[in-house]
Amino acid sequence: MYTAPVDDIAFTLKHVAGLGDALQSGALGDLDEDLVDAILHEAGRFATEEVAPLAEIGDRQGSRMVDGEVRTPDGWAGLYHRWAEGGWNGLTAPEEFGGQGLPHMLNVAALEMWNSGSMAFALCPTLTMGAIEAITAHGSDALKAVYLENLVSGKWTGTMNLTEPQAGSDLAALKTRAERADDGTYRIFGQKIYITWGEHDAAENIIHLVLARLPDAPAGTRGISLFLVPKFMPDAAGNPGERNDLFCHALEHKLGIHGSPTCTMIFGDGRYGQEKGAIGWLVGEENKGLACMFTMMNNARLAVGMQGVAICEAATQKAIQYAKERTQGKAPGTTATGMSPIIEHPDIARTLLTMKALTQGSRAISFACAHAIDMSHAESDAGTQKFWQERAALLTPIAKSFSTDAGVDVASLGIQVHGGMGFIEETGAARYLRDARIAPIYEGTNGIQAIDLVMRKLPLSEGHHVRGFIEELKAIAEDVRASNKPELGETARYLDQSIADLEAATDWLLDAQAKGEAAAVLAGATPYQRLFGLALTGVYLAKGALAAVEDGQGTKRASLCRFAAENLLAETAALKDRVVSGAASLEAARVVLG
């Protein structure tokens, strides 16, 4: 059974990602360490005692259609109500609408624990939080007054409606249309697919944020608008009233996240007898909906990265527990009678340590990204604010892609540790892999994250930001060397090499982009993204090891850091070669594809 790793999360937040320094400087107002610890411990308790026990039934039952209505797994509606009553939906939401206005770092830490407990369940509040962000940033005062308090409290939930059968990653192809009405509202017509928690029985109303195109809109993404479309129209008292002209046509049957209802939504076919057209309100300006939606999507990408971290943690815990109990053969050097627990066999130990290193590295990268977001809001100086905005922009695609790739890899390794029993659903190890596999796909595939990283994020400030970040990484590696800690072994040398590989690949990509060699840059984008994530894993584990001298965990953290450096970081050299030399062979090999 999953147990929230509150101490590891708190340590990473404070000593690796930057929360401790922010608290000391007063950048986060009157937030103090005691409140941080209290929030983390209660979130961990709820995830461990309430969310995790319902994960299996959610996976086994799934959400289902009953007489045309969507029903969530047994116990999930009650779980959601308890979660909302705890105030968790409003951790970072504006205080004026009932939120707590806390840093994003605390929210993503809690999201890790919810997702480890049940990724399918945690998707519901994740989408609602995104809707709150979009309405707060772009909604009119009238929309905020009607919708935000109920969304922040969790009484109502939110969705994001982008994808259509012909429009996935390329939203320029979307066909859902909006028509202006005389009363200032709009009528929405069309079909949306893959809508997470688009219909359910856990909340009294569902607020859809829908991308659609007006009749006179420009072609492509420049002609997309964003609309708020409620399931039930709020009445004069702000309570759910008349049913709007929208419904869930079907649920997808998926590889994983079975408890999460993934819906095909139909807008505007007159199903409920009213005049055709789902009633919606414009969010932001006409034809500028994509910018509004990206307010929601950017933080959603980090939230998906946290899903990867969460699966890593849960799968690693399960694998370690199993490896301590399962006996097989004789471990080298054992003097005990009988068979040895498999955790004593070198290959199993290597596998489990790889899982732990990827988990802690992904967590640190994602928390560092959240810290950058917080600091971009906390700072008033324009130059400092720009620095943190660029740091958040640079880290977001890495946090999303590296963490979700790690989630898949770690969950797969977890099955391997279980052996044949891992392939049997009874153990629960397979669920983590099935759930993890969606995360590298949605909210922008990891390939798209790589394109964003190399084409948009590396050139920020003409490349000065990423180069400055690399200098920060070098300074941490130098701190490792200067520490002379014998338990860190050859960590400094491997850090130096991985950072040098990152620097060389970065310089090559920036130079190639300046020359207009877009195809060569894109050919190296995905290996570069992994190279960056691995280098950061090594550096952040080292930063944690150096900070852990006084917490009684120094030896454990240093040992894991050394393992990661000496066993994982050698891959960066091969990745660098793929970045700088892979384009020609890729182009030549296209003939193989026909």
Side-chain angles (χ1 to χ4, degrees):
M1 179 65 73
Y2 166 76
T3 300
V6 175
D7 290 343
D8 274 349
I9 287 172
F11 179 90
T12 305
L13 284 171
K14 297 173 188 176
H15 301 292
V16 181
L19 178 60
D21 291 340
L23 291 174
Q24 277 196 332
S25 70
L28 301 178
D30 58 0
L31 181 67
D32 59 30
E33 194 166 339
D34 288 342
L35 181 56
V36 168
D37 290 341
I39 291 170
L40 293 177
H41 277 90
E42 178 55 23
R45 184 206 65 77
F46 193 92
T48 301
E49 297 178 7
E50 306 225 28
V51 180
L54 288 178
E56 183 180 346
I57 194 170
D59 183 59
R60 187 171 65 250
Q61 283 188 355
S63 288
R64 61 269 192 207
M65 296 281 285
V66 179
D67 297 327
E69 300 292 332
V70 176
R71 297 286 178 263
T72 53
D74 292 347
W76 276 36
L79 173 64
Y80 176 77
H81 293 157
R82 295 191 299 276
W83 184 88
E85 287 166 2
W88 296 111
N89 209 53
L91 273 184
T92 59
E95 293 182 69
E96 62 185 297
F97 296 105
Q100 299 172 54
L102 290 168
H104 201 56
M105 294 181 82
L106 287 179
N107 197 46
V108 297
L111 279 173
E112 178 192 325
M113 293 184 269
W114 312 140
N115 279 283
S116 286
S118 171
M119 179 172 156
F121 172 79
L123 278 163
C124 178
T126 299
L127 269 294
T128 302
M129 291 169 189
I132 292 169
E133 290 167 359
I135 296 169
T136 299
H138 303 288
S140 66
D141 288 342
L143 287 181
K144 292 176 184 177
V146 174
Y147 292 96
L148 275 183
E149 186 174 339
N150 284 314
L151 286 167
V152 169
S153 71
K155 284 181 65 178
W156 299 354
T157 64
T159 73
M160 181 166 55
N161 287 246
L162 287 75
T163 307
E164 300 176 9
Q166 78 293 338
S169 298
D170 185 2
L171 292 174
L174 72 79
K175 296 180 180 178
T176 296
R177 73 182 195 277
E179 298 178 358
R180 300 177 185 90
D182 293 338
D183 61 0
T185 63
Y186 296 77
R187 299 296 180 269
I188 312 300
F189 302 85
Q191 178 187 46
K192 296 290 185 177
I193 62 172
Y194 304 153
I195 307 308
T196 301
W197 285 80
E199 179 59 59
H200 59 83
D201 58 359
E204 64 182 29
N205 204 358
I206 303 170
I207 311 306
H208 300 281
L209 293 183
V210 184
L211 289 180
R213 193 182 299 279
L214 289 160
D216 54 357
T221 57
R222 293 181 299 116
I224 296 174
S225 300
L226 180 64
F227 301 91
L228 184 156
V229 187
K231 175 182 176 180
F232 293 105
M233 305 292 293
D235 61 20
N239 299 313
E242 182 184 353
R243 179 72 184 251
N244 206 351
D245 187 14
L246 62 95
F247 67 97
C248 172
H249 171 68
L251 294 180
E252 301 292 349
H253 299 280
K254 310 183 296 290
L255 175 67
I257 54 171
H258 293 155
S260 171
T262 303
C263 305
T264 296
M265 301 298 299
I266 305 296
F267 295 86
D269 81 336
R271 173 170 179 153
Y272 294 98
Q274 69 269 61
E275 180 183 351
K276 287 188 176 182
I279 300 172
W281 285 263
L282 182 69
V283 178
E285 299 179 34
E286 289 186 353
N287 304 323
K288 294 185 178 179
L290 207 56
C292 300
M293 186 62 83
F294 267 105
T295 297
M296 188 177 187
M297 287 187 68
N298 280 335
N299 285 352
R301 286 173 172 172
L302 175 55
V304 172
M306 294 314 305
Q307 292 175 353
V309 178
I311 293 293
C312 282
E313 176 64 40
T316 299
Q317 283 192 24
K318 180 172 281 292
I320 290 174
Q321 290 164 4
Y322 182 82
K324 289 179 177 178
E325 297 167 359
R326 171 66 166 164
T327 57
Q328 195 80 187
K330 283 275 195 180
T334 185
T335 58
T337 58
M339 294 189 293
S340 302
I342 63 173
I343 198 170
E344 296 180 6
H345 291 278
D347 188 64
I348 297 297
R350 178 192 54 78
T351 301
L352 294 171
L353 288 167
T354 298
M355 296 168 73
K356 282 195 74 72
L358 291 173
T359 300
Q360 293 197 12
S362 299
R363 178 182 290 133
I365 293 168
S366 299
F367 286 0
C369 182
H371 173 63
I373 293 171
D374 284 334
M375 297 306 292
S376 74
H377 296 309
E379 294 289 349
S380 56
D381 175 73
T384 308
Q385 190 176 67
K386 179 186 177 186
F387 171 89
W388 286 113
Q389 288 171 341
E390 292 189 350
R391 179 60 51 85
L394 178 66
L395 286 175
T396 294
I398 303 169
K400 195 277 183 182
S401 62
F402 186 79
S403 300
T404 56
D405 283 343
V408 174
D409 292 344
V410 169
S412 181
L413 290 171
I415 291 176
Q416 192 71 21
V417 170
H418 281 76
M421 287 302 295
F423 202 69
I424 305 300
E425 291 288 356
E426 176 186 338
T427 64
R431 170 168 61 87
Y432 294 125
L433 181 58
R434 288 189 285 99
D435 286 356
R437 194 58 191 86
I438 184 59
I441 298 172
Y442 57 20
E443 298 305 337
T445 67
N446 285 359
I448 288 175
Q449 302 305 312
I451 294 170
D452 178 51
L453 176 62
V454 300
M455 299 299 290
R456 299 185 184 93
K457 304 307 172 54
L458 292 192
L460 290 171
S461 293
E462 299 180 335
H464 292 306
H465 189 91
V466 67
R467 288 185 169 118
F469 188 31
I470 291 171
E471 292 303 316
E472 294 175 32
L473 305 183
K474 289 180 181 177
I476 295 172
E478 182 55 37
D479 288 343
V480 172
R481 177 175 290 101
S483 73
N484 289 318
K485 291 171 70 74
E487 57 267 45
L488 286 172
E490 294 295 309
T491 295
R493 178 167 68 87
Y494 282 96
L495 288 180
D496 286 343
Q497 185 57 58
S498 67
I499 296 168
D501 293 333
L502 175 62
E503 185 171 37
T506 301
D507 289 342
W508 188 90
L509 287 167
L510 287 169
D511 184 59
Q513 191 170 130
K515 294 176 182 176
E517 298 172 354
V521 172
L522 294 176
T526 291
Y528 176 77
Q529 191 163 246
R530 178 165 177 80
L531 193 170
F532 214 140
L534 279 174
L536 287 177
T537 292
V539 170
Y540 284 148
L541 288 178
K543 185 177 180 182
L546 292 177
V549 174
E550 302 299 329
D551 78 341
Q553 296 292 312
T555 299
K556 287 185 177 181
R557 293 188 183 278
S559 297
L560 183 63
C561 170
R562 177 184 179 183
F563 171 85
E566 297 182 9
N567 289 270
L568 304 183
L569 293 191
E571 185 183 343
T572 64
L575 289 166
K576 181 204 72 174
D577 287 344
R578 287 173 61 191
V579 172
V580 304
S581 306
S585 61
L586 172 63
E587 188 60 33
R590 285 182 181 272
V591 64
V592 177
L593 303 177

